[in-house]
Amino acid sequence: MAQKALVLYDFTAEPGNNELTVREGETITVTNQSVGGGWIEAQNSRGQTGLVPEDYLQLNSAGAASSYPDAFSTAAASNTHSQIANGVDPWSVGGAYKTDKAGGWDTQGYTQTQQVGGGEDDDDDDGEWDEEWDDQSSVGGYAADPPGEEEGGATGRNTHAPSMKISLNKFPFSKTPNPEVFLLAKLPPRGKDRLPVYPGEVGPVWLYPQNPLDCAVADPKKGSKMYGLKSYIEYQVIPTTTSRPVNHRYKHFDWLYERLLEKFGSAIPIPCLPDKQVTGRFEEEFIRMRMERLQAWMSRMCRHPVVSNSDVFQLFLTYRDEKEWKAGKRTAEKDETVGPMIFSVIDPEGPDLDPAEVEHKCEQYSKFTRSMDDGVKDLLNVGHTHWKRCTGPLPKEYQRIGKAFLNLSAVFNTSGYQGETTLTDALTAAGKIYEEIAQIVAEQPKKDLHHLLETNNEYKGILGCFPDTIAVHKAAIEKVKEGDKLVTAGKISSQEKTTMTKRISTMSYSLQAEMNHFHSNRIYDYNRVMQLYLEEQIKFYELIAEKLRQALGQFTTL
């Protein structure tokens, strides 16, 4: 009997990729389960055959449906329920942090990520990474495309892995990473990962490199795999340090984003990558726009002194061969200084701060980032409205004026009066010039408004990360406030309370350094983009004025 499968999510086939469009709730027949790379060949009820992402299907030979089709295997779900029953929060730091009924804390265990039911980042039996993640055909490449990335999948779903991985800094179900892990844990010795915070003119600052890093994202090329059944776009990333290009697909950028978010998200806002897209991903305009946004994202990461100097970021930019790439990924996945534990490597040069001052700074930054977020969104709304007007009704108004002049000129030509040739010619010229102005108006947003909106989109993404980052600090502040009560209740010792106060001071130094970095970039970015915008606006109006002078010059002075 042929194996049946229940479709869990809608999937739209990309033309030319031998895929099959399926809809949620549909039952299809599996014709080849050994295609590999996360894909299954199947046939629908209409007899059409093609490839469907394996993660979009619930294989069901016996007619029984899984209780956890989206993310969890039954075994993983059972393990999660067992953790909850034993007082373990499975969504906290790897499920390793336990809160007892009396409010005490167990800070002896810490792991970086909760892996549920396996996934594309899991190690396989021989210690190597899953073949679906490491494509043997190209350095840094991956085999197939799990749903949700640019080579296939449903837009808007967080299903870019064969099963859901609960990342520490994703704050799932609005759960903030538990800062108690850092506040009371026994910290490992500081090694080369030490992140100093220095006193600067504006307050605490990160250590900035003497030679700032940057990179270029360029030369997008279409590649294929699975004997040409699947296609993808690969970009060259060229760092200024080596000038040696490395090749990366969008999913490599996505992997880097996940690692940076996991490692630094509790201390540094890591903005999201440009959105994924299912259809039209091989169109020239989409590739150009994606490359531009990947460039902006990479440049912003390069400008951050902590992120740009991290091992995982340097790996992404400078790996030399497939062996180094795979080994580096494996090392990054096993990193222990992630989530709140990133504060364990931060080393401020300054006296311990008073908890009241820490709280004041935290509230100050929270208020500012919320207000700026509102301002950025307002500018985006106004900008998008203006863009639509410039590319829609406004050019049409100029076209109508031009057409009216041309019509009037045509009427004048029918009079038979010999002395009006100069006038009719001038009217005709004026009409054509207004049609040219309509085209200039329609094209103008791409020259000025585009850069302004893109910058604001970047900051919208960064500001959207701040609430979660600041929430880690606020949660730590609340725990320190409870310190005296916990000492009185015998839950912690006086020494532990002192340790908590010292460590929240470290967290505050890092937050202040990050905010100073943010403000410095904000001032630079908005100065630059406003100058560009106004310069282009001046050119635009000067061009309009020149066109109008040309029209005026056609008319004789009586």
Side-chain angles (χ1 to χ4, degrees):
M1 177 179 174
Q3 187 176 22
K4 300 292 184 179
L6 175 67
V7 179
L8 301 177
Y9 314 115
D10 291 347
F11 174 72
T12 303
E14 183 74 11
N17 266 349
N18 195 31
E19 297 169 352
L20 177 67
T21 297
V22 292
R23 294 288 174 256
E24 182 179 351
E26 181 181 356
T27 299
I28 58 178
T29 302
V30 176
T31 56
N32 185 357
Q33 195 173 344
S34 59
V35 173
W39 294 85
I40 287 179
E41 186 182 70
Q43 184 179 73
N44 61 20
S45 58
R46 297 177 295 282
Q48 298 169 323
T49 302
L51 299 176
V52 181
E54 185 176 4
D55 292 336
Y56 278 45
L57 305 177
Q58 176 63 54
L59 298 179
N60 188 5
S61 58
S66 169
S67 301
Y68 299 87
D70 288 358
F72 303 97
S73 66
T74 305
S78 175
N79 180 56
T80 302
H81 293 164
S82 175
Q83 286 182 321
I84 295 174
N86 287 283
V88 178
D89 180 358
W91 307 118
S92 66
V93 188
Y97 201 90
K98 181 173 72 176
T99 304
D100 63 28
K101 295 181 180 179
W105 308 317
D106 174 12
T107 58
Q108 301 304 311
Y110 179 79
T111 55
Q112 68 199 50
T113 303
Q114 173 79 3
Q115 295 279 3
V116 185
E120 65 184 352
D121 291 344
D122 290 343
D123 292 343
D124 58 24
D125 292 337
D126 63 1
E128 292 295 322
W129 284 45
D130 192 338
E131 288 295 322
E132 294 183 9
W133 187 243
D134 285 299
D135 188 356
Q136 300 297 324
S137 62
S138 63
V139 176
Y142 305 155
D145 308 310
E149 60 149 298
E150 89 278 19
E151 284 85 1
T155 304
R157 293 186 183 275
N158 185 20
T159 55
H160 63 281
S163 58
M164 186 173 73
K165 184 182 78 170
I166 306 303
S167 180
L168 177 66
N169 291 309
K170 282 294 190 182
F171 309 105
F173 310 112
S174 299
K175 295 287 282 184
T176 302
N178 202 329
E180 299 161 14
V181 172
F182 166 67
L183 291 176
L184 283 175
K186 181 178 180 181
L187 303 184
R190 265 199 197 101
K192 66 180 182 67
D193 292 333
R194 173 178 173 269
L195 300 176
V197 177
Y198 294 104
E201 294 181 0
V202 294
V205 293
W206 299 114
L207 174 63
Y208 286 83
Q210 292 183 345
N211 299 313
L213 173 66
D214 202 356
C215 70
V217 180
D219 195 23
K221 292 182 179 178
K222 189 174 182 179
S224 63
K225 59 190 179 183
M226 293 175 65
Y227 306 101
L229 293 178
K230 297 295 295 177
S231 300
Y232 57 85
I233 300 297
E234 190 171 59
Y235 305 88
Q236 279 194 348
V237 181
I238 310 169
T240 54
T241 50
T242 65
S243 299
R244 181 175 57 82
V246 293
N247 297 323
H248 286 297
R249 290 163 54 189
Y250 178 88
K251 66 191 303 180
H252 301 164
F253 289 93
D254 194 38
W255 176 86
L256 175 64
Y257 163 71
E258 292 287 347
R259 299 285 73 75
L260 295 178
L261 184 67
E262 183 177 53
K263 183 171 180 65
F264 297 114
S266 291
I268 298 170
I270 305 294
C272 292
L273 288 170
D275 292 339
K276 299 169 184 176
Q277 183 166 318
V278 176
T279 60
R281 59 188 180 271
F282 298 123
E283 295 177 2
E284 184 177 343
E285 178 62 20
F286 172 74
I287 294 172
R288 183 197 64 78
M289 179 59 72
R290 166 167 282 181
M291 184 172 69
E292 178 182 333
R293 290 178 174 174
L294 287 174
Q295 174 70 75
W297 189 84
M298 286 296 294
S299 292
R300 191 162 296 281
M301 296 298 99
C302 284
R303 285 160 59 183
H304 198 289
V306 173
V307 173
S308 63
N309 195 46
S310 64
D311 290 341
V312 64
F313 195 74
Q314 288 294 319
L315 169 73
F316 188 83
L317 291 178
T318 62
Y319 73 90
R320 287 165 293 190
D321 51 38
E322 184 177 349
K323 181 179 180 181
E324 182 177 0
W325 172 247
K326 293 174 70 174
K329 287 193 298 181
R330 205 157 43 237
T331 300
E333 189 72 12
K334 295 175 181 177
D335 190 356
E336 294 183 356
T337 54
V338 297
M341 289 301 286
I342 189 63
F343 297 113
S344 67
V345 298
I346 293 174
D347 189 9
E349 291 193 0
D352 292 345
L353 302 175
D354 182 83
E357 181 182 353
V358 172
E359 184 174 16
H360 171 72
K361 287 288 186 182
C362 192
E363 288 300 327
Q364 177 185 352
Y365 297 146
S366 180
K367 182 178 180 180
F368 174 81
T369 52
R370 286 198 306 268
S371 298
M372 183 177 171
D373 188 46
D374 292 339
V376 164
K377 289 176 180 176
D378 181 55
L379 182 54
L380 282 171
N381 290 333
V382 171
H384 286 305
T385 300
H386 184 63
W387 187 301
K388 290 179 181 179
R389 185 167 180 267
C390 286
T391 55
L394 191 55
K396 291 179 181 178
E397 290 175 13
Y398 283 103
Q399 288 174 345
R400 283 195 290 267
I401 293 173
K403 186 176 181 180
F405 286 155
L406 291 172
N407 289 340
L408 186 59
S409 174
V411 171
F412 284 1
N413 269 326
T414 64
S415 70
Y417 187 71
Q418 295 182 355
E420 66 176 359
T421 303
T422 302
L423 174 61
T424 54
D425 288 348
L427 273 174
T428 300
K432 291 180 179 179
I433 284 174
Y434 267 83
E435 289 180 339
E436 292 177 16
I437 290 175
Q439 186 65 27
I440 293 170
V441 170
E443 294 175 353
Q444 184 59 25
K446 295 180 181 179
K447 299 178 180 179
D448 53 22
L449 198 54
H450 168 74
H451 301 288
L452 183 61
L453 294 181
E454 284 298 300
T455 298
N456 273 272
N457 265 322
E458 282 189 67
Y459 273 88
K460 178 184 175 184
I462 297 170
L463 291 163
C465 300
F466 263 109
D468 289 334
T469 299
I470 291 177
V472 178
H473 296 262
K474 288 185 174 181
I477 291 169
E478 291 304 313
K479 292 301 177 185
V480 171
K481 283 183 177 180
E482 297 175 13
D484 290 332
K485 295 180 181 178
L486 294 168
V487 171
T488 302
K491 299 295 182 181
I492 62 174
S493 66
S494 297
Q495 181 58 44
E496 286 175 319
K497 178 180 178 297
T498 302
T499 298
M500 290 171 62
T501 303
K502 183 178 180 64
R503 290 183 181 176
I504 199 174
S505 175
T506 297
M507 293 178 67
S508 181
Y509 272 111
S510 73
L511 180 59
Q512 291 181 64
E514 185 55 33
M515 285 304 301
N516 286 330
H517 173 78
F518 173 80
H519 287 315
S520 175
N521 277 270
R522 172 179 60 85
I523 292 169
Y524 171 82
D525 288 335
Y526 277 92
N527 260 310
R528 177 183 56 83
V529 76
M530 285 304 299
Q531 286 175 4
L532 176 61
Y533 175 74
L534 293 173
E535 286 169 358
E536 291 295 330
Q537 282 277 288
I538 291 169
K539 292 178 185 178
F540 167 70
Y541 285 109
E542 285 178 344
L543 181 57
I544 297 294
E546 179 60 29
K547 291 292 182 182
L548 294 176
R549 289 190 189 96
Q550 291 178 18
L552 177 61
Q554 300 292 322
F555 293 87
T556 58
T557 303
L558 299 178

